[in-house]
Structures are given as C-alpha cells and as structure tokens.
C-alpha cells in the first residue's frame, strides 16, 4: 500500500487530480500508447537503446518531484534499496524491453490484445502460487480470456500451438506479460514507503538494468551518441515513453485508486488493449483481422465472467 498523498490547490492540475474516472481513463490511455509509440519507431532505433534511453530519461524526470519523499523515506530505502531496484529491473526494464523486441516482428494490434489478458494472468498466478481464493467461475473466466490471447498469438490458427509455430514477436510479448505478472505478485513484499520514493528508486534500478542490457545485448553504450542525429519522431517517442507511461500513468492510477478504491479501479486496466488497438489502427494504419475481433470478444467475455464471479462471491 502507498502512503496517502496530499495535493495542494494548484488550479487545473489540482482539479484533474480530483476526477477519479478521468484519471482512470488517462492511465490506460498512456499505457496503451506505449505500444503504439514503440511500434512507430521500429527500424529507426534499436529496442535496447529505446529501453535504456526511456529508463534513464524517466529517472532524471522523476527525481525533481520525488527527492523530498526520498529524503523522508531514506531510512527504509537504505535498508531495502536492492529489493526496490529489483522491482524496477523486472517490472519496468525487462517487461518493456521484451515488449519492444516483440514489436519488431509483430503488430501493435496483436501486442495490445495480448497484454489485455494481464489481469487474468495475474489472477491465475495468485491462485496457483499464493492460493488466493478464486471461484471456479473466475478460473473459467481466466481460461477463456487466455484462450483469446492464444488465438491472437497464433494469428487465428490455434492448431499452430501443436507445432509451436508462434510468431517470435508474439512470443516475446507473452514473455513480457509473464514478467509483469511476476512483478505484480512480488509487489506484496514491497517495503512501506511513499509511492514517489518507490518509483524513484525503482526507476534507478530500471535505468541501471537498461544500460547493462544495452551493453550486453544491444549496440552498446556508445550508441547513445547516435540519439542527437535521430528523427523528430524518435525524439517525440522518447519523450512520451519516458514521461507519460512511466510516471504520469502511475500517478494517475494511484490517485484514482485512492479516490474510489482498488475494486472499482481495477477494471480500468481493460481499457489498455482498447486504446492500444485504436491507436494502432488510427496512427499506424494497421488492419484489424477477423481473428482480432473474435479474440477480443473471447477475452472480454472471460474478463466479464471472472469479474462477475468475483462480485458474486
């Protein structure tokens, strides 16, 4: 749990922070935009360089806002910084680099639909690992939702699973989803500190991890020297992914949860694939194939069944 936050009256920004449903729309809008933005610059920037630049940029951006919270939580941070940095390495760096690598060989529409099953994957993992109670209807809903993901990953031909004939890009996106599922489950062991302190230290861990991966698996740290000569589109994407899905979405979602509670806020995650798919069609010109509609209907049906069963219980 994060500590309650206080917000001073600062005009328009303060009014926005008092609108829970606007905040719970903005957060998935920014997260869904992460997929579209990364796909826009495929071929122009290496995915490992994109990840490293994003994490370094996000870390530099957040510290002016977070330093006073870091100072207040310094005692906790000093004892737990390896764990908190590990959250950043897993949930921010590894998740996003797998997503970015996957986007080099699959569509943004596919990626958006596949990430739409994350809440169901988290529910299933909680049930398996931590024995968090779930009804059979909830488990059925999870199974239905994940079958929709498999339909997307096999491009409408589930028989391809028998020969493991899955597009490599879709495979990386599914690995990214598993990584974020592990990150979410690990959050139950998160040290007690302000959300801004947690984000600042976690982003630092993500930045260090991103730089290491860039050196080991990408074009190397020297590739940062190529950024000044890159196109305005690449720079626009770098600014977007370093600020909006990294910080603003986290703050918006946390504030929305604070105002309406986690149960009423949780369904907003289902808007991520909606915004991602719409952005892919509108901004990237990607086509929606018949299996996309079928997979989306299956995933939505599974989510509705699981949430109806949870409310009924």
């Amino acid at each position: 749990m994060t500590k309650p936050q206080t917000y001073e009256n600062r005009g328009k920004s303060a009014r926005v922070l008092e609108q829970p449903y606007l905040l719970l729309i903005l957060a998935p809008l920014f997260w869904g935009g992460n997929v579209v933005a990364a796909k826009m610059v495929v071929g122009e920037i290496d995915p490992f360089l994109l990840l490293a630049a994003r994490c370094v940029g996000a870390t530099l951006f957040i510290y002016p806002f977070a330093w006073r919270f870091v100072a207040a939580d310094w005692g906790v941070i000093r004892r737990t910084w390896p764990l908190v940095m590990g959250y950043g390495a897993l949930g921010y760096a590894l998740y996003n680099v797998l997503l970015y690598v996957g986007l080099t060989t699959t569509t943004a529409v596919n990626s958006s639909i596949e990430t739409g099953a994350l809440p169901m994957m988290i529910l299933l993992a909680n049930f398996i690992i931590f024995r968090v109670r779930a009804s059979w209807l909830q488990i059925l809903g999870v199974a239905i939702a994940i079958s929709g993901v498999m339909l997307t990953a096999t491009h409408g031909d589930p028989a391809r699973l028998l020969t493991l004939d899955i597009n490599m890009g879709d495979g990386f996106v599914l690995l990214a989803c598993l990584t974020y599922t592990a990150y979410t489950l690990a959050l139950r062991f998160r040290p007690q500190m302000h959300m801004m302190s947690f984000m600042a230290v976690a982003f630092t861990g993500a930045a260090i991890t991103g730089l290491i991966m860039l050196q080991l698996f990408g074009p190397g740290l020297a590739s940062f020297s190529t950024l000044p000569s890159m196109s305005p589109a690449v720079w626009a994407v770098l600014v977007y992914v370093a600020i909006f899905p990294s910080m603003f979405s986290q703050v918006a979602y946390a504030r929305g949860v604070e105002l309406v509670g986690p149960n009423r806020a949780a369904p907003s995650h289902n808007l991520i694939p909606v915004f991602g798919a719409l952005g892919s069609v509108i901004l990237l010109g990607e086509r929606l194939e018949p299996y996309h509609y079928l997979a989306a209907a299956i995933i939505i049906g599974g989510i509705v069944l699981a949430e109806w069963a949870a409310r009924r219980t």
Side-chain angles (χ1 to χ4, degrees):
M1 295 291 290
T2 57
K3 296 178 182 178
Q5 301 177 64
T6 58
Y7 296 91
E8 299 173 5
N9 185 0
R10 296 193 180 112
K12 292 182 180 180
S13 62
R15 289 196 292 273
V16 169
L17 290 170
E18 297 302 324
Q19 304 296 320
Y21 295 105
L22 173 60
L23 294 170
L24 293 173
I25 290 174
L26 290 176
L29 174 63
F30 296 151
W31 279 322
N34 180 45
V35 174
V36 180
K39 186 64 177 179
M40 287 178 68
V41 292
V42 166
E44 291 192 63
I45 182 172
D46 180 86
F48 289 96
L49 179 57
L50 175 60
L51 183 278
R54 169 188 175 165
C55 291
V56 171
T59 303
L60 295 175
F61 181 79
I62 196 174
Y63 266 99
F65 302 95
W67 69 266
R68 62 190 180 97
F69 302 108
V70 170
D73 289 326
W74 185 246
V76 179
I77 293 171
R78 189 171 54 188
R79 296 192 305 271
T80 62
W81 65 266
L83 174 62
V84 180
M85 283 192 174
Y87 283 118
L90 181 65
Y92 300 153
L94 188 56
Y95 166 74
N96 279 294
V97 81
L98 288 170
L99 178 65
Y100 294 163
V101 170
L103 282 166
T104 62
T105 53
T106 192
T107 65
V109 169
N110 268 30
S111 299
S112 299
I113 293 174
E114 286 157 1
T115 56
L118 259 176
M120 298 295 95
M121 295 171 71
I122 292 168
L123 188 153
L124 180 61
N126 263 314
F127 173 75
I128 294 172
I129 297 174
F130 295 119
R131 298 299 177 186
V132 175
R133 292 183 60 186
S135 70
W136 286 110
L137 278 178
Q138 284 178 284
I139 298 300
L140 177 60
V142 170
I144 292 173
I146 291 178
S147 70
V149 172
M150 290 298 101
L151 183 65
T152 303
T154 57
H155 292 214
D157 183 11
R160 295 170 66 178
L161 285 174
L162 299 177
T163 57
L164 298 180
D165 184 18
I166 297 178
N167 178 281
M168 186 66 73
D170 293 296
F172 274 111
V173 174
L174 293 178
L175 282 176
C177 292
L178 291 174
T179 299
Y180 202 81
T181 298
Y183 162 77
T184 304
L185 265 59
L187 283 175
R188 64 168 51 209
F189 307 111
R190 181 194 138 178
Q192 294 293 315
M193 64 180 68
H194 194 278
M195 180 191 69
M196 294 297 286
S197 299
F198 175 79
M199 288 173 60
V201 180
F203 281 5
T204 303
I208 294 171
T209 304
L211 292 172
I212 292 173
M213 289 194 295
L214 174 63
Q215 181 63 33
L216 294 179
F217 307 112
L221 296 175
S223 61
F224 268 98
S225 64
T226 65
L227 290 178
S229 62
M230 289 194 175
S231 69
V234 171
W235 275 99
V237 166
L238 284 174
V239 171
Y240 175 82
V241 298
I243 296 175
F244 290 91
S246 297
M247 180 177 169
F248 286 175
S249 58
Q250 302 284 352
V251 173
Y253 185 71
R255 179 58 174 163
V257 170
E258 184 180 339
L259 291 173
V260 302
N263 287 341
R264 290 167 65 187
S268 67
H269 283 286
N270 301 329
L271 291 174
I272 298 174
V274 174
F275 288 130
L278 284 176
S280 303
V281 172
I282 295 171
L283 299 177
L284 302 176
E286 293 186 356
R287 290 180 55 191
L288 287 173
E289 303 292 344
Y291 72 84
H292 286 136
Y293 294 103
L294 178 58
I298 291 172
I299 293 172
I300 292 170
I303 290 170
V304 169
L305 177 61
E307 292 193 356
W308 175 78
R311 292 176 184 275
R312 183 170 175 237
T313 301

